[in-house]
Amino acid sequence: HVCPPREPMAEVLPSFTYERCLLPGASVRSLWKEYALFLEGKGAVEDARGVLARASGVFFRDCAPMLLYHAQFEEAHGGLDAARALCAATCALPPPAIDAYLAAANLERRAGNTDGMRAAFAAAVDALRGEPLAALVRHAAAVERKLCGDHARGVALIESAIAREPANELLWDAALECATSAVVPAAAGAGDSPAYQAAAALLERMIAADSPLPPPARRRAWLRYQRLVDDYAGSVEAMRALKRSRDEAGLELTLDSEVPESAVPKPLPKRKPNGMSVDVSMGGGAAQPSPSPQQAQAQYTPEQLAQYQQYYAQYYQQQGYGQGYYPQQ
């Protein structure tokens, strides 16, 4: 903007200005991208590649986005090997990130390399954990089903992830979504399809007594099992048979009932300075006298019982009952 377009310095000054701006702003990612875009727009692809190579080596708090941007640049200009190397470098950064593995898989998909895409998905299963792992295998199974037409390979990939994290409910949800995607409602009197049987078998594994899932997840799986039978079975007898099988196995009460109140530990009642206790579980939070010494003796340790007896003594003295009123037992 300083020189007229036809002057010799007009092509040099913008690059010179960018270089000067990078001296104090080398950690600004957007400045490197803008500089590379400017050079690319001018047709200086090699210069833009050099700028991105320098930017990839600059320390950022999170350098993965810059590496992936550089990989997209190389892919756009035919440098598939360089793009693969940059994606591999991004996948090697700790901690493992789902974006890096998805970028590597998408690069191979756009290049028509199905084996490379599957290798990227398999590497992600080995590296990722938790919610990112579940999101990746869900996407990978959908790609296998929709792009490659290989439903079984997507199921196998999810099963390999479940083998690594058997207590991850999100992985089981992804497996159930993949299984039910091929299920169609049965007509009247028609038998169960193989897809329906596969989905039912998966839910049986989820609610089994030896399932690695915690009880709340097993309960949710049981509710989804009932919904599957109700939505896709060919007769109402299938739902009734499912209920009977649960009753006979003794699992209905375990999965459908709430945790008994006696199994939930209760906190000690809060106390006021005058010895009164506040039962926070009651409506209104009204102050209530402490339990009797006999009740305290059945519930608390001898040290806590002695402290309660002291509170009782203070309480009855404050109420004016006299020294002889308080029981000594």
Side-chain angles (χ1 to χ4, degrees):
H1 302 290
V2 179
C3 301
R6 294 184 178 180
E7 291 192 9
M9 291 295 293
E11 297 293 334
V12 179
L13 281 178
S15 298
F16 179 71
T17 305
Y18 275 117
E19 292 291 343
R20 291 188 60 188
C21 292
L22 287 174
L23 292 176
S27 61
V28 181
R29 188 180 296 111
S30 60
L31 185 59
W32 289 96
K33 292 181 179 180
E34 184 179 345
Y35 188 13
L37 284 174
F38 166 76
L39 294 174
E40 186 180 9
K42 294 291 185 180
V45 176
E46 290 299 325
D47 293 339
R49 180 176 285 112
V51 169
L52 291 177
R54 291 162 54 196
S56 300
V58 171
F59 174 77
F60 289 107
R61 187 181 298 273
D62 182 12
C63 59
M66 200 70 229
L67 289 171
L68 295 179
Y69 185 83
H70 190 182
Q72 293 176 359
F73 174 87
E74 295 293 349
E75 181 185 1
H77 293 279
L80 288 179
D81 293 337
R84 289 188 179 100
L86 289 166
C87 288
T90 309
C91 292
L93 293 174
I98 184 175
D99 292 340
Y101 290 97
L102 286 177
N106 291 330
L107 170 66
E108 302 298 345
R109 175 182 55 81
R110 289 190 294 264
N113 185 6
T114 304
D115 293 337
M117 178 191 70
R118 289 169 175 168
F121 285 145
V125 171
D126 293 336
L128 299 177
R129 294 291 182 273
E131 185 177 352
L133 175 60
L136 184 130
V137 296
R138 189 188 302 268
H139 171 73
V143 172
E144 290 287 356
R145 183 176 66 254
K146 298 177 181 179
L147 178 64
C148 305
D150 195 342
H151 177 75
R153 188 180 290 272
V155 173
L157 183 66
I158 297 178
E159 287 293 339
S160 66
I162 291 177
R164 297 186 65 86
E165 285 192 346
N168 189 342
E169 185 182 0
L170 295 176
L171 291 176
W172 291 92
D173 289 342
L176 185 59
E177 178 183 334
C178 184
T180 55
S181 64
V183 181
V184 295
D192 297 333
S193 64
Y196 173 85
Q197 295 176 0
L202 178 64
L203 285 163
E204 287 284 353
R205 291 168 55 194
M206 295 174 69
I207 67 174
D210 57 350
S211 172
L213 294 173
R218 293 176 61 212
R219 171 174 169 77
R220 287 189 290 269
W222 167 239
L223 297 176
R224 297 177 73 174
Y225 196 1
Q226 298 178 66
R227 177 54 55 193
L228 173 76
V229 176
D230 197 21
D231 288 344
Y232 295 100
S235 66
V236 70
E237 185 60 28
M239 174 61 76
R240 300 183 64 190
L242 177 65
K243 290 279 190 177
R244 285 197 301 270
S245 66
R246 297 302 101 186
D247 293 338
E248 293 172 359
L251 296 178
E252 182 80 17
L253 179 63
T254 304
L255 293 174
D256 285 349
S257 61
E258 298 293 338
V259 179
E261 185 179 357
S262 60
V264 180
K266 295 182 179 179
L268 293 176
K270 294 183 179 180
R271 298 198 166 274
K272 290 185 176 181
N274 62 357
M276 301 285 286
S277 66
V278 178
D279 187 357
V280 295
S281 64
M282 299 178 60
Q288 303 293 331
S290 301
S292 65
Q294 290 78 8
Q295 294 174 342
Q297 186 174 5
Q299 297 178 6
Y300 303 110
T301 63
E303 292 78 9
Q304 292 174 324
L305 179 60
Q307 186 179 15
Y308 279 131
Q309 290 177 342
Q310 182 180 1
Y311 286 145
Y312 276 122
Q314 296 176 0
Y315 171 71
Y316 285 114
Q317 288 176 4
Q318 292 172 1
Q319 298 298 323
Y321 294 122
Q323 298 291 334
Y325 185 84
Y326 174 67
Q328 298 299 321
Q329 298 296 329

